[in-house]
Amino acid sequence: MKNTLRQITQSPKFMIGFCLILVLILTTLIYPLFSPGSPLEMIGLGTFFRPGTYVSVYDSVTTDKRYTINLTDAAEKRVASKLASEDKEVMKTWLLEFGIAEEEIDLEDTEALLDLWFNTYDESIRFDNMTTAVRKHVQRTDAKLDGLLEHQDIIVADSAADGSLVEGSLIKGNEYINVAEIANVRVLPLGTDNFGRDMLKEMISALGVSLMIGLIAGAIATFIGLALGLLSGYLGGVVDDIIMFVTNLFTVIPSFVLLILISFSIGQSDRGATTVAIVIGLTSWVWTTRSVRAQVTSLRNRDHVNLSKLSGHSLIRILVTDILPYIASYVIMAFILQICSGILAEAQLSMLGLGPKTTSVPTLGLMMFWAMAYTAHLNGAWWAYFPLVILIACISFSLNLMNTGLDQVFNPQLRD
Amino acid sequence: MSKSVLSGKGVTKVFGLGDKKTVAVDHVNFKFSKGELVSIVGESGSGKTTLVKMILGLLSPTEGDIYFMGKKRDIRTRKQKREYWKGIQAIFQDPFSSYNIFHKIDSVLMDCINMRGGSHLPRDEKIKMITEACGFVNLKYAELTNKYPFELSGGQMQRLMIARIFLLKPQILLADEPTSMIDACSRATILDMLLQCRNEVGMTIIFVTHDIGLAYYISDSVYIMEHGKFVEHGTADQVILSPTADYTQRLINDVPKIHAPWDFAKVASTVSAQA
Ligand SMILES: Nc1ncnc2c1ncn2[C@@H]1O[C@H](COP(=O)(O)OP(=O)(O)O)[C@@H](O)[C@H]1O
Ligand SMILES: [Mg+2]
């Protein structure tokens, strides 16, 4: 027993899988401590805000503490952020005409482009094959650039008591504020979803709920499968016939179809996360029953079981002490796989719109569903679905890795 | 002949249905007297283990009745079974699969004391009884305590099984090829202990074996089993010195003799005569 435990902890596959899962579980437990509040709070008005740091405009304008910092490339960066791509195209046309090699013009690197432009552009040069319209366009663009580069201060107007505007503070181009000193800053590492919820926070909360669903579904499925398999395999006879009849019935009906039908008949308003987990558990025990039964059938004729009977032990005691330990390793592995398939089943169900009701808790499946419903993939809002896919894959990967590790310990001939 | 402790009439076991039907034991009658050492001899697959399991009540006969202590056996309830198993116990063929590998061997012996109504005894008392039983089979309890079965050799495991019988003191012991998985050197020791245990406890032993020489050496009477049927039975001298069934003759010829060269021709001729 101790030996087996040591072997398990020495199996790199199991330990990697185990640590990954542990990290995920700890994250769901610890993250809410650092970021309190409901994960379903709709903080953003609008859909799919990009990931980033959001700073209150009001607070940054009204803050009294300002620092003057002179950065050489500040102006160019400012221009770059305002330069439209069609302006760049116009500049490129002129520069090519001037004789600059195409490789030297990099439209992505706006600063380099501006440098090149200010060094080479001369209004007086006229190219013969350039139409007046284009020449005028180039001139306008150049004027715009000059305008952008000019240091213009901005005056913030305050409204006076009588409703008229009076000059408030003056903001210069080289004035800075420290983000740490601003009252309202919100980091949204994964932006927001279609409802304007903090994606990261929602996802971590959903991870916890999904793991919970997997655990409940897996525990129910394994428990039913184990109990039926033990009874059917050990008792044999009529009990076996009845249990196998029911099991075969469930095998013929694909469990996912059954799952869909049951979820559908329960109705959206009554489907909490726990209900969904129970339904998943109740429809996925068939496989465990069959394999436990097969193992027990071969165990029940072993002499140690006969000897236990001869020692007058009760049925329950024989099942628990003489049969269960022999299949325990197998049951643990089945349990881990059931957790995994429970999580995936929830995701599938939710993507069909049959998951838990949306208003109470987030789940990984529900988040996928909404991302799809609001066509996040077409809007380029990768942050609304890609982290979810990675997370689901990660759970599945680590649980399966744990299982492979266990398999290698329990069935040594599989070791490579 | 003294009163029979165990007898059977038309005991039959059929496995499977239809085409896959196997008649493992076919209408056998037997009668074992108190204190006797009976051997059941037959080659492997002849149905010996199946008969043993039926006698033990681990398998129910398809047909036929078994009488225990002169009365028809009734072991339908768990309580009746427990009572029955106080009187009849077994040692199985494979010591390596006779133990629950997850339990320390102490628990096997503790169970015996509890079964004989000693569960209320103080721990010291129990340990004393176990130590005595281990001593009987030449094992030191102090060295065995807290060990798992796989830490023992096959011979030690089988000896511990005898210690178990010593503690249980049943009226009847069924020994199903108890020495066939043991190396030849330990075999004699184990047989000797079994016989000693019989003298100590005064029980009837039903000794199942495929080795007719061994049966001749130890038993009072012998039953020869072929394809689920008893083809011959009688005292050991009768059956082995003047066999009437061909099958018995064949079994006798199969035994190699150390003092005489093995007559392959003779073995082969009886086998072909059989075929
Ligand atoms: N549980 C079972 N199911 C079906 N057939 C069995 C079973 N147990 C034993 N048999 C068959 O019964 C016959 C006798 O077996 P067994 O009693 O083990 O013989 P032995 O102990 O003499 O070697 C064999 O042909 C075997 O295949
Ligand atoms: Mg056998």
Side-chain angles (χ1 to χ4, degrees), chain A residues 47-50 190 192-195 199 367-389:
Chain A
T47 59
F48 301 132
F49 295 171
R50 289 194 151 272
L190 290 178
T192 68
D193 70 357
N194 55 295
F195 294 114
M199 262 301 287
M367 290 180 74
M368 287 290 276
F369 171 73
W370 287 114
M372 261 176 25
Y374 279 74
T375 58
H377 50 295
L378 298 182
N379 297 337
W382 55 266
W383 58 90
Y385 59 91
F386 195 63
L388 294 171
V389 176

Side-chain angles (χ1 to χ4, degrees), chain B residues 49 93 176-177:
Chain B
T49 301
Q93 181 171 6
D176 186 2
E177 309 202 37

Side-chain angles (χ1 to χ4, degrees), chain A residues 336-362:
Chain A
I336 292 177
L337 284 186
Q338 295 274 25
I339 293 179
C340 188
S341 57
I343 292 171
L344 294 181
E346 185 278 326
Q348 286 172 307
L349 261 191
S350 296
M351 281 165 84
L352 291 177
L354 292 169
K357 58 174 179 253
T358 349
T359 44
S360 49
V361 280

Side-chain angles (χ1 to χ4, degrees), chain B residues 134-150:
Chain B
C134 287
F136 181 77
V137 292
N138 253 329
L139 292 171
K140 290 198 179 62
Y141 176 67
E143 287 171 14
L144 296 178
T145 183
N146 275 325
K147 279 205 172 147
Y148 286 95
F150 53 81

Side-chain angles (χ1 to χ4, degrees), chain A residues 75-366:
Chain A
E76 289 185 344
K77 271 192 180 159
R78 190 168 292 143
V79 173
S81 77
K82 287 180 181 159
L83 203 60
S85 57
E86 59 195 78
D87 295 332
K88 290 183 192 171
E89 284 300 334
V90 171
M91 288 156 74
K92 185 180 176 182
T93 321
W94 190 90
L95 287 171
L96 284 176
E97 209 61 50
F98 184 75
I100 307 278
E102 186 154 11
E103 308 87 71
E104 283 178 48
I105 308 168
D106 182 3
L107 293 189
E108 301 304 314
D109 186 355
T110 317
E111 283 176 48
L113 184 67
L114 285 174
D115 265 346
L116 189 64
W117 180 259
F118 291 126
N119 288 336
T120 45
Y121 183 68
D122 185 351
E123 214 178 327
S124 54
I125 302 175
R126 286 183 181 221
F127 301 116
D128 293 337
N129 53 351
M130 191 178 258
T131 58
T132 322
V134 174
R135 213 178 61 240
K136 283 265 173 350
H137 194 165
V138 173
Q139 280 171 4
R140 275 201 307 278
T141 306
D142 184 53
K144 185 172 157 192
L145 288 176
D146 282 341
L148 283 172
L149 274 179
E150 245 169 56
H151 277 283
Q152 274 183 335
D153 300 334
I154 292 174
I155 296 167
V156 180
D158 286 338
S159 52
D162 58 355
S164 63
L165 293 177
V166 294
E167 186 179 323
S169 55
L170 186 75
I171 302 175
K172 296 206 185 70
N174 56 357
E175 270 183 346
Y176 288 77
I177 46 173
N178 187 342
V179 173
E181 287 166 0
I182 295 184
N184 291 300
V185 177
R186 178 70 181 246
V187 184
L188 296 172
L190 290 178
T192 68
D193 70 357
N194 55 295
F195 294 114
R197 294 165 177 159
D198 180 346
M199 262 301 287
L200 182 68
K201 192 168 175 173
E202 192 185 3
M203 192 171 83
I204 288 173
S205 166
L207 170 67
V209 178
S210 282
L211 284 174
M212 206 60 206
I213 289 177
L215 205 65
I216 294 174
I220 291 177
T222 308
F223 180 78
I224 297 178
L226 184 60
L228 290 183
L230 275 176
L231 286 179
S232 168
Y234 185 76
L235 295 178
V238 188
V239 180
D240 186 29
D241 290 343
I242 295 173
I243 293 178
M244 281 332 279
F245 176 75
V246 177
T247 310
N248 286 335
L249 214 63
F250 273 86
T251 319
V252 177
I253 313 166
S255 63
F256 197 66
V257 173
L258 203 65
L259 192 55
I260 290 174
L261 292 178
I262 297 178
S263 303
F264 191 71
S265 59
I266 288 175
Q268 164 83 31
S269 55
D270 293 328
R271 277 201 310 264
T274 322
T275 319
V276 170
I278 292 172
V279 172
I280 293 174
L282 288 180
T283 52
S284 54
W285 48 267
V286 177
W287 177 75
T288 313
T289 307
R290 284 179 161 281
S291 30
V292 167
R293 176 183 172 271
Q295 305 234 344
V296 175
T297 310
S298 74
L299 271 172
R300 74 161 177 217
N301 289 323
R302 280 183 57 129
D303 283 340
H304 81 268
V305 176
N306 285 329
L307 207 74
S308 192
K309 283 185 191 163
L310 289 182
S311 299
H313 294 159
S314 65
L315 169 73
I316 299 292
R317 176 155 172 196
I318 292 177
L319 284 182
V320 172
T321 68
D322 295 316
I323 303 268
L324 203 54
Y326 284 80
I327 57 170
S329 59
Y330 186 79
V331 173
I332 292 172
M333 283 163 53
F335 179 50
I336 292 177
L337 284 186
Q338 295 274 25
I339 293 179
C340 188
S341 57
I343 292 171
L344 294 181
E346 185 278 326
Q348 286 172 307
L349 261 191
S350 296
M351 281 165 84
L352 291 177
L354 292 169
K357 58 174 179 253
T358 349
T359 44
S360 49
V361 280
T363 70
L364 293 178
L366 279 175

